[in-house]
Each structure stands twice: as C-alpha cells, then as structure tokens.
Amino acid sequence: MTPVSDPSSFSSISKCSTKHLNLIYHVDFDRHVLKGKVALTVEVLEDKFSSLTLDSKDLKIFKVSANGQAAQFALGAQHKFKGSPLEITLPFELSRGQHVIVEVEYETSPSAVALQWLSPKQTAGKKQPYLFSQCQATHCRTMVPCQDTPSVKHTYYAQVSVPKELVALMSALRDGQEPDPSDSSRVIYRFRQPVPMPSYLIAIVVGALESREIGPRSRVWSEKEYVDEAAFEFTETETMLKTAESLAGPYVWGQYDVLVLPPSFPYGGMENPCLTFVTPTVLAGDRSLAGVIAHEISHSWTGNLVTNKTWEHFWLNEGHTVYIERMIARCMESEQLRQFKGIGGWKELQESVKQFGENNVLTNLVPNLHEVNTDEAFSSVPYEKGFALLYHLEELMGGPEVFMGFVKSYIQLFAYGSVTTEEWKNYLFTYFKDKVDILNKVDWNAWMHTPGMPPVKPQYDTTMADACTALCQRWVKAKEGDLTSFTEADVKQLNSPQLIEFVALLLQEEPLPLSHVKKMQEVYQLNSVKNSEVRFRWLRVCVRAHWEEAVPLALKMASEQGRMKFTRPLYKEVYSFSKYSDEAVKTFKEHRGEMHPVTAMLVAKDLKIDG
C-alpha cells in the first residue's frame, strides 16, 4: 500500500487511524451551537507515538484528554478554507498496534459551514426551529474534531440532547430515547452506526419531524406538512433497493430511510448512511425523483461501502454511482431509458466543461486538489466523465452484464475500505486479464489527466432523444410565419424526461427570438409546469431570450429553494441579462441570510460580490 496523503486534510493519517467515535451533543438553538464531547478510539500505526493532529475548523476547544489523563493541545494557524490543525500531545508514548481514547470537549461556531440553523419561519410548520448538517466534502471538521479524510473509516455512537418538542435523527440506526436527566424540557436521542464509514457521512438533523413507513426497512421523514405527499412519492423505494442488491450485492446498512429537507438544502440528495437526505424540489418531480433516489441508493455501495481515498478520486464515488443508478433504470424501465440518460449526462458534462473552461485542470477526471477548495471544484465532471469512461469500458469489455460483473466484484473486494484510481485500474486489468490488449489501447492519460471533454464520445441509442431533437430543431429553424404550426400536441407525446431534454437542447442553441419563446409559452404553457428540472431550464431559456416577464419568476425560483443545481444557473442567467444584473445582486443580498453557507459563498462568487 502506498502511504496516502490527503491534500484536503491536516490530520496525521500515516501515524494513526480512528476506529470509533463516541459523540455527545447538546443542541443549543438559542446560540446556534452544538456543545460537544467526542471520544475517538485511535489505533496507533507507528512506534514511539506521542502526538497526533486532528482536523478542526471554527471550533472552541475546552479540554483534551488521552485515556483519561489531561493532554496538551494547541490550534495551529487558520488556513483559508481547511481550518486549523488541532495538535495534541499525549502524556505518554505508545507503540504500533496499541489503541488510545482521545477525548475532546468543544463547542461549534454559529457560522460552522456544516450546519444550517433555520428559524421557525424558514420551515414548513413555521412553529419550531430546524437544524441540518451537510459534511461532504470537508466540513465535518466544523462539527467534530476528527481525521476529516475519506481515507479513514470508523463506526460511531451518539447521544443528542434536544428540546422535547423536536426529533433528532442521524446517519445511523436509531437506538432509543430517554428524558434528559439534566433538563426536564429536553430529551436525549441515541444512535449507533456499526458499519465503518468516513467522517463526511456523519449527519444530524433536528426538527419537528414525523415519519411514515414506506417499506420493510424504510421510513420517510419530514415535517408533517410534507410527510404524506413524500410517502406517496417514495413507494418504489424497496423495489429499487432490491434491484440494487441484485446488481451490487447485499445492502449492509440495515435501515434505508429518506429525509425530505427544507428548501434551502443545497444538493439534490446526500447519501448519508441509513438516512438519505433529499431536496423537497423532487416532490413535484414526477420521475425526476426516481433518479435522485436511485442515485442515493446506489451510493450505499459505491461511496459509502467503497470510498474514494481522497477527494481527487471523487469520480470513483460518483462515476460508479451514476453507472449503477442507470443500471437500476435499465432493470426497472428499459435499456432505452438508460441510453437516453447517458445522452442527457453528456450534455451536463459539456455544460460543466464550458463553465470551467476546457483547459481548466478541474475538468480532469482526477484533478490535483492541492490548495483547492473542494466546494469550488464541485461539478458534474466526476459524475458524467466518470460514467462516460465506465460506459466506454463496458462497450470494450462485452456489454452491460459483463461490465456490471466487474463493478460488483470491485465492490466486494474493496468493501469497507477506501480506494485510489490506481488501485481501481489495477483491479480492472486483473479482472479482465484476458482482455489486457484491449485495455492497453485505452488512452488512459487523456481520460484521467487531461482537461476538457473525454477522448471518446459514446454512441448512445437515440430512440428516446430523437423526438426531443426534432422538436428543438423545428423551433430553432422556424421563421415568424411558421409559429402557427406549433400546437399543444407537440409536447403531449413527450414523457417527463423527454420534456426536460427538449428544454435542455434549447439551452445549447443560440438564444431564441423573443417572439418564439412567447409563442412556446402560449402553446405549451411551460410556466405552469411544476417539475423543477423542466422549470429551471425553461426560465433560463426565457431570460436568455430577454423576456422581461420571466426575470421575476427566475429570481423567485432561485431564492425560494436553495438547490445549487437550480439556484446558481438562475442567478447567473439573470446577472448576464445586463439590464437586470443589479436586480440579481439585490435579490441575492436580500435572501443571503436564508441561504446555506456554501450556496451563498458560491453564488456571491458567480455574481462577482466580494466577501
């Protein structure tokens, strides 16, 4: 094993490795802090071991002990985004193979990036406050002093004290609750996670939550205002889990629950073990939901069970997860749908490459993240360039069944561990040892270490896409006099994914004339489509055509929910319409306080606002 170094972490990963975390939290909604105590069970990896470094960011450290004895500690200089190394000196020396329990008493900051504290008015119920966390990629250190690197995996146990009107959940199995002995107005919830996992998968949510059973090992959780609609939308969860198990092997996490968050949640979903977090934007989603859930379920194998060793290898998490997600679509729907999703993914990759610039090293499949903030590097590249590589290899190696055999075998071999691209590639060559001559012809350097679009464009079956392309081209080529030929029937024959694709194709063309966009609204009534994947693309088409009536609708969608996939492009689109640039900035500033800290930071960058 090559010793690993993680450019996104300060912690000493070659010297020691965390095996278990024991967390005690007191959730303070008045001060917006978690008062915490964490005990880390650490295995020593070298002789004469007497000091270690943990990651921390914006934490107040009160006290550190090792095996119950006071330990000296110091916080190093604050790095611009990595936080401050917590240097701990033990009062004794240990040798390789021994364990030590390091206990830290601390408190989080009200501005901890992992945590978003919502006021009652930002919730659906309007009566109780709400807290949720989002640690991926490097924000767990704002919530727990730890080895905040995906190369280290540990189990955890937690006790969380919250006001008794509220419910706490974590990325773990529920282990009961009891009144808080030190405060009769509070209750303690307990959690256990017996499967070793990386720090970025630690997650907590506290709110006025209710649940409904949606399957033999699944419940859906949300505020009561959403819970019945959510239960109705998630009926296919168990079928999806069983399909994923048939492809990738047994589901090892016990429970698979889904939490529907308030609208400011920055991502489509987050694969927290035992409790997937999803955006409420999928609820009116008729089928776009299926993709999000299939994706998060797939992470139970690729990401959570087999994990990228550092964030430079993020494509191992996301490329494989998109591959399995689309295999689920193939099993539950059709191969044509999988092919169609591949076409849509290629388009998203083109958009990311265009945004970053085709020579930007962040569009490499394996980027160098030395001194790079992982939040700023995030894009569809690891997802879609990763998928394109796996699909290309599938074609070379003999088709979906053959290649899924490799993916399943890779998961079994590296289960409970963390992997680099090199280890993945070595196993690919071992597994397909009779096809090494074909694998040697792959331009690995172009795929892995070269910016821009991949060296090979997969030839997807266009059956489902043809109708979308044809309709798009009719609009692009139409003269003023042709506009009467368009009718409501044009879009009635498209299903939901095809409607999304049609509008996505319009975004790849030159902006349509205003007359065309107005006519499109008149015949297709796209303004009243609830599906957020359609809506955010349609509003961008309108703003691009300089339809002024669409500007307030675009800004409303950008600020009513905070999913970055929608919020960032909508703000950017309005900002690019020079007459309304100031309006975009003004709207952002009005809503900044309600936004998730990561979303706010990135939108401010997009709108060229400093600090």
Side-chain angles (χ1 to χ4, degrees), residues 279-312:
T279 166
T281 64
V282 296
L283 286 182
D286 64 306
R287 304 305 299 154
S288 65
L289 165 75
V292 171
I293 293 296
H295 184 88
E296 304 312 332
I297 281 176
S298 303
H299 267 307
S300 308
W301 288 269
T302 44
N304 299 8
L305 191 56
V306 179
T307 306
N308 46 227
K309 201 164 273 186
T310 75
W311 297 111
E312 299 178 313

PDB file of all heavy atoms in Angstrom, residues 279-312:
ATOM      1  N   THR A 279     -33.685  16.866  -1.392  1.00  0.00           N
ATOM      2  CA  THR A 279     -34.283  18.189  -1.562  1.00  0.00           C
ATOM      3  C   THR A 279     -35.799  18.049  -1.750  1.00  0.00           C
ATOM      4  O   THR A 279     -36.250  17.091  -2.380  1.00  0.00           O
ATOM      5  CB  THR A 279     -33.693  18.870  -2.813  1.00  0.00           C
ATOM      6  OG1 THR A 279     -34.498  20.005  -3.147  1.00  0.00           O
ATOM      7  CG2 THR A 279     -33.730  17.951  -4.025  1.00  0.00           C
ATOM      8  N   PRO A 280     -36.589  18.998  -1.239  1.00  0.00           N
ATOM      9  CA  PRO A 280     -38.030  18.944  -1.500  1.00  0.00           C
ATOM     10  C   PRO A 280     -38.365  19.258  -2.964  1.00  0.00           C
ATOM     11  O   PRO A 280     -39.501  19.038  -3.386  1.00  0.00           O
ATOM     12  CB  PRO A 280     -38.608  20.014  -0.566  1.00  0.00           C
ATOM     13  CG  PRO A 280     -37.496  20.978  -0.341  1.00  0.00           C
ATOM     14  CD  PRO A 280     -36.222  20.166  -0.395  1.00  0.00           C
ATOM     15  N   THR A 281     -37.383  19.731  -3.752  1.00  0.00           N
ATOM     16  CA  THR A 281     -37.672  20.054  -5.159  1.00  0.00           C
ATOM     17  C   THR A 281     -38.004  18.796  -5.957  1.00  0.00           C
ATOM     18  O   THR A 281     -38.489  18.902  -7.082  1.00  0.00           O
ATOM     19  CB  THR A 281     -36.497  20.793  -5.860  1.00  0.00           C
ATOM     20  OG1 THR A 281     -35.360  19.921  -5.915  1.00  0.00           O
ATOM     21  CG2 THR A 281     -36.120  22.076  -5.140  1.00  0.00           C
ATOM     22  N   VAL A 282     -37.742  17.600  -5.405  1.00  0.00           N
ATOM     23  CA  VAL A 282     -38.092  16.383  -6.155  1.00  0.00           C
ATOM     24  C   VAL A 282     -39.561  16.011  -5.975  1.00  0.00           C
ATOM     25  O   VAL A 282     -40.080  15.158  -6.685  1.00  0.00           O
ATOM     26  CB  VAL A 282     -37.232  15.149  -5.759  1.00  0.00           C
ATOM     27  CG1 VAL A 282     -35.781  15.363  -6.107  1.00  0.00           C
ATOM     28  CG2 VAL A 282     -37.408  14.785  -4.300  1.00  0.00           C
ATOM     29  N   LEU A 283     -40.258  16.638  -5.029  1.00  0.00           N
ATOM     30  CA  LEU A 283     -41.612  16.163  -4.724  1.00  0.00           C
ATOM     31  C   LEU A 283     -42.595  16.382  -5.859  1.00  0.00           C
ATOM     32  O   LEU A 283     -43.411  15.519  -6.148  1.00  0.00           O
ATOM     33  CB  LEU A 283     -42.137  16.752  -3.414  1.00  0.00           C
ATOM     34  CG  LEU A 283     -41.507  16.145  -2.151  1.00  0.00           C
ATOM     35  CD1 LEU A 283     -42.123  16.748  -0.901  1.00  0.00           C
ATOM     36  CD2 LEU A 283     -41.652  14.624  -2.112  1.00  0.00           C
ATOM     37  N   ALA A 284     -42.527  17.535  -6.513  1.00  0.00           N
ATOM     38  CA  ALA A 284     -43.436  17.751  -7.647  1.00  0.00           C
ATOM     39  C   ALA A 284     -42.787  17.193  -8.907  1.00  0.00           C
ATOM     40  O   ALA A 284     -43.068  17.608 -10.013  1.00  0.00           O
ATOM     41  CB  ALA A 284     -43.733  19.232  -7.818  1.00  0.00           C
ATOM     42  N   GLY A 285     -41.902  16.239  -8.706  1.00  0.00           N
ATOM     43  CA  GLY A 285     -40.968  15.902  -9.776  1.00  0.00           C
ATOM     44  C   GLY A 285     -41.371  14.826 -10.741  1.00  0.00           C
ATOM     45  O   GLY A 285     -40.654  14.563 -11.676  1.00  0.00           O
ATOM     46  N   ASP A 286     -42.520  14.191 -10.567  1.00  0.00           N
ATOM     47  CA  ASP A 286     -42.905  13.029 -11.370  1.00  0.00           C
ATOM     48  C   ASP A 286     -41.747  12.437 -12.170  1.00  0.00           C
ATOM     49  O   ASP A 286     -41.481  12.819 -13.288  1.00  0.00           O
ATOM     50  CB  ASP A 286     -44.109  13.351 -12.279  1.00  0.00           C
ATOM     51  CG  ASP A 286     -43.811  14.412 -13.330  1.00  0.00           C
ATOM     52  OD1 ASP A 286     -43.351  15.502 -12.958  1.00  0.00           O
ATOM     53  OD2 ASP A 286     -44.036  14.148 -14.513  1.00  0.00           O
ATOM     54  N   ARG A 287     -41.046  11.513 -11.597  1.00  0.00           N
ATOM     55  CA  ARG A 287     -39.943  10.727 -12.172  1.00  0.00           C
ATOM     56  C   ARG A 287     -38.554  11.327 -11.998  1.00  0.00           C
ATOM     57  O   ARG A 287     -37.591  10.586 -12.034  1.00  0.00           O
ATOM     58  CB  ARG A 287     -40.134  10.404 -13.670  1.00  0.00           C
ATOM     59  CG  ARG A 287     -41.394   9.704 -14.060  1.00  0.00           C
ATOM     60  CD  ARG A 287     -41.664   8.418 -13.336  1.00  0.00           C
ATOM     61  NE  ARG A 287     -40.645   7.396 -13.547  1.00  0.00           N
ATOM     62  CZ  ARG A 287     -40.384   6.425 -12.683  1.00  0.00           C
ATOM     63  NH1 ARG A 287     -41.033   6.340 -11.556  1.00  0.00           N
ATOM     64  NH2 ARG A 287     -39.466   5.526 -12.947  1.00  0.00           N
ATOM     65  N   SER A 288     -38.413  12.642 -11.829  1.00  0.00           N
ATOM     66  CA  SER A 288     -37.038  13.119 -11.599  1.00  0.00           C
ATOM     67  C   SER A 288     -36.626  12.651 -10.205  1.00  0.00           C
ATOM     68  O   SER A 288     -35.457  12.451  -9.920  1.00  0.00           O
ATOM     69  CB  SER A 288     -36.931  14.635 -11.720  1.00  0.00           C
ATOM     70  OG  SER A 288     -37.671  15.293 -10.723  1.00  0.00           O
ATOM     71  N   LEU A 289     -37.624  12.415  -9.356  1.00  0.00           N
ATOM     72  CA  LEU A 289     -37.396  11.852  -8.028  1.00  0.00           C
ATOM     73  C   LEU A 289     -36.734  10.482  -8.119  1.00  0.00           C
ATOM     74  O   LEU A 289     -35.799  10.176  -7.393  1.00  0.00           O
ATOM     75  CB  LEU A 289     -38.752  11.701  -7.322  1.00  0.00           C
ATOM     76  CG  LEU A 289     -38.740  10.817  -6.086  1.00  0.00           C
ATOM     77  CD1 LEU A 289     -38.089  11.578  -4.956  1.00  0.00           C
ATOM     78  CD2 LEU A 289     -40.125  10.404  -5.683  1.00  0.00           C
ATOM     79  N   ALA A 290     -37.230   9.649  -9.036  1.00  0.00           N
ATOM     80  CA  ALA A 290     -36.718   8.282  -9.158  1.00  0.00           C
ATOM     81  C   ALA A 290     -35.211   8.299  -9.388  1.00  0.00           C
ATOM     82  O   ALA A 290     -34.477   7.504  -8.809  1.00  0.00           O
ATOM     83  CB  ALA A 290     -37.428   7.561 -10.296  1.00  0.00           C
ATOM     84  N   GLY A 291     -34.737   9.243 -10.223  1.00  0.00           N
ATOM     85  CA  GLY A 291     -33.304   9.337 -10.498  1.00  0.00           C
ATOM     86  C   GLY A 291     -32.515   9.706  -9.256  1.00  0.00           C
ATOM     87  O   GLY A 291     -31.464   9.129  -8.984  1.00  0.00           O
ATOM     88  N   VAL A 292     -33.022  10.661  -8.486  1.00  0.00           N
ATOM     89  CA  VAL A 292     -32.320  11.094  -7.263  1.00  0.00           C
ATOM     90  C   VAL A 292     -32.243   9.936  -6.266  1.00  0.00           C
ATOM     91  O   VAL A 292     -31.173   9.637  -5.726  1.00  0.00           O
ATOM     92  CB  VAL A 292     -33.009  12.318  -6.610  1.00  0.00           C
ATOM     93  CG1 VAL A 292     -32.414  12.617  -5.234  1.00  0.00           C
ATOM     94  CG2 VAL A 292     -32.881  13.545  -7.519  1.00  0.00           C
ATOM     95  N   ILE A 293     -33.363   9.250  -6.042  1.00  0.00           N
ATOM     96  CA  ILE A 293     -33.364   8.155  -5.065  1.00  0.00           C
ATOM     97  C   ILE A 293     -32.509   6.978  -5.549  1.00  0.00           C
ATOM     98  O   ILE A 293     -31.738   6.394  -4.787  1.00  0.00           O
ATOM     99  CB  ILE A 293     -34.813   7.690  -4.750  1.00  0.00           C
ATOM    100  CG1 ILE A 293     -35.556   8.808  -4.002  1.00  0.00           C
ATOM    101  CG2 ILE A 293     -34.811   6.432  -3.889  1.00  0.00           C
ATOM    102  CD1 ILE A 293     -34.978   9.138  -2.634  1.00  0.00           C
ATOM    103  N   ALA A 294     -32.609   6.649  -6.846  1.00  0.00           N
ATOM    104  CA  ALA A 294     -31.779   5.560  -7.387  1.00  0.00           C
ATOM    105  C   ALA A 294     -30.298   5.898  -7.208  1.00  0.00           C
ATOM    106  O   ALA A 294     -29.479   5.027  -6.887  1.00  0.00           O
ATOM    107  CB  ALA A 294     -32.094   5.328  -8.855  1.00  0.00           C
ATOM    108  N   HIS A 295     -29.957   7.170  -7.386  1.00  0.00           N
ATOM    109  CA  HIS A 295     -28.569   7.606  -7.226  1.00  0.00           C
ATOM    110  C   HIS A 295     -28.120   7.437  -5.771  1.00  0.00           C
ATOM    111  O   HIS A 295     -27.067   6.851  -5.500  1.00  0.00           O
ATOM    112  CB  HIS A 295     -28.428   9.068  -7.670  1.00  0.00           C
ATOM    113  CG  HIS A 295     -27.013   9.568  -7.628  1.00  0.00           C
ATOM    114  ND1 HIS A 295     -26.147   9.421  -8.693  1.00  0.00           N
ATOM    115  CD2 HIS A 295     -26.312  10.182  -6.653  1.00  0.00           C
ATOM    116  CE1 HIS A 295     -24.962   9.932  -8.357  1.00  0.00           C
ATOM    117  NE2 HIS A 295     -25.038  10.413  -7.129  1.00  0.00           N
ATOM    118  N   GLU A 296     -28.937   7.931  -4.836  1.00  0.00           N
ATOM    119  CA  GLU A 296     -28.534   7.858  -3.421  1.00  0.00           C
ATOM    120  C   GLU A 296     -28.505   6.413  -2.926  1.00  0.00           C
ATOM    121  O   GLU A 296     -27.638   6.042  -2.130  1.00  0.00           O
ATOM    122  CB  GLU A 296     -29.441   8.725  -2.543  1.00  0.00           C
ATOM    123  CG  GLU A 296     -29.525  10.205  -2.957  1.00  0.00           C
ATOM    124  CD  GLU A 296     -28.187  10.881  -3.217  1.00  0.00           C
ATOM    125  OE1 GLU A 296     -27.166  10.462  -2.621  1.00  0.00           O
ATOM    126  OE2 GLU A 296     -28.146  11.826  -4.017  1.00  0.00           O
ATOM    127  N   ILE A 297     -29.452   5.581  -3.381  1.00  0.00           N
ATOM    128  CA  ILE A 297     -29.425   4.157  -3.010  1.00  0.00           C
ATOM    129  C   ILE A 297     -28.123   3.517  -3.507  1.00  0.00           C
ATOM    130  O   ILE A 297     -27.461   2.779  -2.775  1.00  0.00           O
ATOM    131  CB  ILE A 297     -30.665   3.419  -3.587  1.00  0.00           C
ATOM    132  CG1 ILE A 297     -31.893   3.713  -2.707  1.00  0.00           C
ATOM    133  CG2 ILE A 297     -30.414   1.908  -3.679  1.00  0.00           C
ATOM    134  CD1 ILE A 297     -33.196   3.121  -3.232  1.00  0.00           C
ATOM    135  N   SER A 298     -27.735   3.841  -4.748  1.00  0.00           N
ATOM    136  CA  SER A 298     -26.519   3.251  -5.331  1.00  0.00           C
ATOM    137  C   SER A 298     -25.271   3.599  -4.522  1.00  0.00           C
ATOM    138  O   SER A 298     -24.330   2.803  -4.431  1.00  0.00           O
ATOM    139  CB  SER A 298     -26.358   3.712  -6.786  1.00  0.00           C
ATOM    140  OG  SER A 298     -27.501   3.366  -7.541  1.00  0.00           O
ATOM    141  N   HIS A 299     -25.271   4.790  -3.906  1.00  0.00           N
ATOM    142  CA  HIS A 299     -24.140   5.190  -3.063  1.00  0.00           C
ATOM    143  C   HIS A 299     -23.937   4.252  -1.867  1.00  0.00           C
ATOM    144  O   HIS A 299     -22.859   4.235  -1.280  1.00  0.00           O
ATOM    145  CB  HIS A 299     -24.353   6.609  -2.524  1.00  0.00           C
ATOM    146  CG  HIS A 299     -23.740   7.678  -3.377  1.00  0.00           C
ATOM    147  ND1 HIS A 299     -22.415   7.665  -3.777  1.00  0.00           N
ATOM    148  CD2 HIS A 299     -24.261   8.826  -3.881  1.00  0.00           C
ATOM    149  CE1 HIS A 299     -22.152   8.749  -4.485  1.00  0.00           C
ATOM    150  NE2 HIS A 299     -23.264   9.462  -4.571  1.00  0.00           N
ATOM    151  N   SER A 300     -24.965   3.491  -1.486  1.00  0.00           N
ATOM    152  CA  SER A 300     -24.805   2.547  -0.369  1.00  0.00           C
ATOM    153  C   SER A 300     -23.686   1.548  -0.665  1.00  0.00           C
ATOM    154  O   SER A 300     -23.132   0.943   0.241  1.00  0.00           O
ATOM    155  CB  SER A 300     -26.109   1.774  -0.124  1.00  0.00           C
ATOM    156  OG  SER A 300     -27.183   2.681   0.020  1.00  0.00           O
ATOM    157  N   TRP A 301     -23.376   1.370  -1.947  1.00  0.00           N
ATOM    158  CA  TRP A 301     -22.269   0.501  -2.366  1.00  0.00           C
ATOM    159  C   TRP A 301     -21.052   1.328  -2.774  1.00  0.00           C
ATOM    160  O   TRP A 301     -19.972   1.161  -2.222  1.00  0.00           O
ATOM    161  CB  TRP A 301     -22.725  -0.406  -3.526  1.00  0.00           C
ATOM    162  CG  TRP A 301     -23.679  -1.465  -3.055  1.00  0.00           C
ATOM    163  CD1 TRP A 301     -23.354  -2.734  -2.624  1.00  0.00           C
ATOM    164  CD2 TRP A 301     -25.107  -1.342  -2.901  1.00  0.00           C
ATOM    165  NE1 TRP A 301     -24.488  -3.391  -2.226  1.00  0.00           N
ATOM    166  CE2 TRP A 301     -25.574  -2.582  -2.386  1.00  0.00           C
ATOM    167  CE3 TRP A 301     -26.028  -0.327  -3.151  1.00  0.00           C
ATOM    168  CZ2 TRP A 301     -26.930  -2.817  -2.122  1.00  0.00           C
ATOM    169  CZ3 TRP A 301     -27.377  -0.554  -2.887  1.00  0.00           C
ATOM    170  CH2 TRP A 301     -27.818  -1.786  -2.381  1.00  0.00           C
ATOM    171  N   THR A 302     -21.232   2.224  -3.753  1.00  0.00           N
ATOM    172  CA  THR A 302     -20.094   2.988  -4.268  1.00  0.00           C
ATOM    173  C   THR A 302     -20.112   4.383  -3.650  1.00  0.00           C
ATOM    174  O   THR A 302     -20.957   5.207  -3.985  1.00  0.00           O
ATOM    175  CB  THR A 302     -20.155   3.068  -5.805  1.00  0.00           C
ATOM    176  OG1 THR A 302     -21.505   3.370  -6.195  1.00  0.00           O
ATOM    177  CG2 THR A 302     -19.772   1.731  -6.418  1.00  0.00           C
ATOM    178  N   GLY A 303     -19.211   4.611  -2.714  1.00  0.00           N
ATOM    179  CA  GLY A 303     -19.186   5.860  -1.947  1.00  0.00           C
ATOM    180  C   GLY A 303     -19.162   5.510  -0.473  1.00  0.00           C
ATOM    181  O   GLY A 303     -18.216   5.816   0.239  1.00  0.00           O
ATOM    182  N   ASN A 304     -20.227   4.820  -0.031  1.00  0.00           N
ATOM    183  CA  ASN A 304     -20.331   4.530   1.397  1.00  0.00           C
ATOM    184  C   ASN A 304     -19.604   3.248   1.811  1.00  0.00           C
ATOM    185  O   ASN A 304     -18.961   3.194   2.856  1.00  0.00           O
ATOM    186  CB  ASN A 304     -21.804   4.448   1.812  1.00  0.00           C
ATOM    187  CG  ASN A 304     -22.536   5.759   1.563  1.00  0.00           C
ATOM    188  OD1 ASN A 304     -21.983   6.672   0.945  1.00  0.00           O
ATOM    189  ND2 ASN A 304     -23.772   5.866   2.016  1.00  0.00           N
ATOM    190  N   LEU A 305     -19.709   2.195   0.985  1.00  0.00           N
ATOM    191  CA  LEU A 305     -19.061   0.913   1.294  1.00  0.00           C
ATOM    192  C   LEU A 305     -17.639   0.893   0.726  1.00  0.00           C
ATOM    193  O   LEU A 305     -16.690   0.504   1.394  1.00  0.00           O
ATOM    194  CB  LEU A 305     -19.910  -0.222   0.715  1.00  0.00           C
ATOM    195  CG  LEU A 305     -19.573  -1.658   1.124  1.00  0.00           C
ATOM    196  CD1 LEU A 305     -19.592  -1.819   2.642  1.00  0.00           C
ATOM    197  CD2 LEU A 305     -20.570  -2.634   0.488  1.00  0.00           C
ATOM    198  N   VAL A 306     -17.512   1.335  -0.532  1.00  0.00           N
ATOM    199  CA  VAL A 306     -16.198   1.537  -1.161  1.00  0.00           C
ATOM    200  C   VAL A 306     -16.084   3.044  -1.394  1.00  0.00           C
ATOM    201  O   VAL A 306     -16.934   3.628  -2.057  1.00  0.00           O
ATOM    202  CB  VAL A 306     -16.103   0.811  -2.519  1.00  0.00           C
ATOM    203  CG1 VAL A 306     -14.732   1.061  -3.154  1.00  0.00           C
ATOM    204  CG2 VAL A 306     -16.360  -0.677  -2.358  1.00  0.00           C
ATOM    205  N   THR A 307     -15.050   3.646  -0.835  1.00  0.00           N
ATOM    206  CA  THR A 307     -14.979   5.113  -0.760  1.00  0.00           C
ATOM    207  C   THR A 307     -13.725   5.628  -1.452  1.00  0.00           C
ATOM    208  O   THR A 307     -12.670   4.985  -1.386  1.00  0.00           O
ATOM    209  CB  THR A 307     -14.964   5.539   0.727  1.00  0.00           C
ATOM    210  OG1 THR A 307     -16.085   4.948   1.390  1.00  0.00           O
ATOM    211  CG2 THR A 307     -15.015   7.044   0.895  1.00  0.00           C
ATOM    212  N   ASN A 308     -13.831   6.794  -2.102  1.00  0.00           N
ATOM    213  CA  ASN A 308     -12.621   7.421  -2.672  1.00  0.00           C
ATOM    214  C   ASN A 308     -11.631   7.732  -1.533  1.00  0.00           C
ATOM    215  O   ASN A 308     -12.016   8.216  -0.484  1.00  0.00           O
ATOM    216  CB  ASN A 308     -12.949   8.690  -3.470  1.00  0.00           C
ATOM    217  CG  ASN A 308     -13.903   9.677  -2.811  1.00  0.00           C
ATOM    218  OD1 ASN A 308     -14.844  10.146  -3.450  1.00  0.00           O
ATOM    219  ND2 ASN A 308     -13.706  10.028  -1.545  1.00  0.00           N
ATOM    220  N   LYS A 309     -10.346   7.431  -1.763  1.00  0.00           N
ATOM    221  CA  LYS A 309      -9.356   7.604  -0.678  1.00  0.00           C
ATOM    222  C   LYS A 309      -9.104   9.083  -0.388  1.00  0.00           C
ATOM    223  O   LYS A 309      -8.882   9.461   0.759  1.00  0.00           O
ATOM    224  CB  LYS A 309      -8.054   6.884  -1.029  1.00  0.00           C
ATOM    225  CG  LYS A 309      -7.200   6.583   0.195  1.00  0.00           C
ATOM    226  CD  LYS A 309      -6.113   5.549  -0.073  1.00  0.00           C
ATOM    227  CE  LYS A 309      -6.565   4.123   0.115  1.00  0.00           C
ATOM    228  NZ  LYS A 309      -5.471   3.139   0.000  1.00  0.00           N
ATOM    229  N   THR A 310      -9.128   9.915  -1.433  1.00  0.00           N
ATOM    230  CA  THR A 310      -9.096  11.373  -1.231  1.00  0.00           C
ATOM    231  C   THR A 310     -10.084  11.966  -2.227  1.00  0.00           C
ATOM    232  O   THR A 310     -10.560  11.265  -3.128  1.00  0.00           O
ATOM    233  CB  THR A 310      -7.695  11.991  -1.505  1.00  0.00           C
ATOM    234  OG1 THR A 310      -7.483  12.023  -2.918  1.00  0.00           O
ATOM    235  CG2 THR A 310      -6.580  11.218  -0.826  1.00  0.00           C
ATOM    236  N   TRP A 311     -10.349  13.269  -2.107  1.00  0.00           N
ATOM    237  CA  TRP A 311     -11.343  13.901  -2.985  1.00  0.00           C
ATOM    238  C   TRP A 311     -10.852  14.042  -4.411  1.00  0.00           C
ATOM    239  O   TRP A 311     -11.615  14.324  -5.319  1.00  0.00           O
ATOM    240  CB  TRP A 311     -11.798  15.245  -2.389  1.00  0.00           C
ATOM    241  CG  TRP A 311     -12.481  14.994  -1.089  1.00  0.00           C
ATOM    242  CD1 TRP A 311     -12.031  15.326   0.155  1.00  0.00           C
ATOM    243  CD2 TRP A 311     -13.713  14.286  -0.893  1.00  0.00           C
ATOM    244  NE1 TRP A 311     -12.912  14.864   1.115  1.00  0.00           N
ATOM    245  CE2 TRP A 311     -13.950  14.232   0.496  1.00  0.00           C
ATOM    246  CE3 TRP A 311     -14.644  13.685  -1.768  1.00  0.00           C
ATOM    247  CZ2 TRP A 311     -15.081  13.597   1.038  1.00  0.00           C
ATOM    248  CZ3 TRP A 311     -15.761  13.067  -1.233  1.00  0.00           C
ATOM    249  CH2 TRP A 311     -15.964  13.023   0.154  1.00  0.00           C
ATOM    250  N   GLU A 312      -9.544  13.801  -4.641  1.00  0.00           N
ATOM    251  CA  GLU A 312      -9.020  13.796  -6.008  1.00  0.00           C
ATOM    252  C   GLU A 312      -9.570  12.602  -6.785  1.00  0.00           C
ATOM    253  O   GLU A 312      -9.608  12.611  -8.010  1.00  0.00           O
ATOM    254  CB  GLU A 312      -7.488  13.767  -5.980  1.00  0.00           C
ATOM    255  CG  GLU A 312      -6.928  14.986  -5.275  1.00  0.00           C
ATOM    256  CD  GLU A 312      -5.416  15.015  -5.172  1.00  0.00           C
ATOM    257  OE1 GLU A 312      -4.806  13.999  -4.799  1.00  0.00           O
ATOM    258  OE2 GLU A 312      -4.845  16.085  -5.455  1.00  0.00           O
TER     259      GLU A 312
END
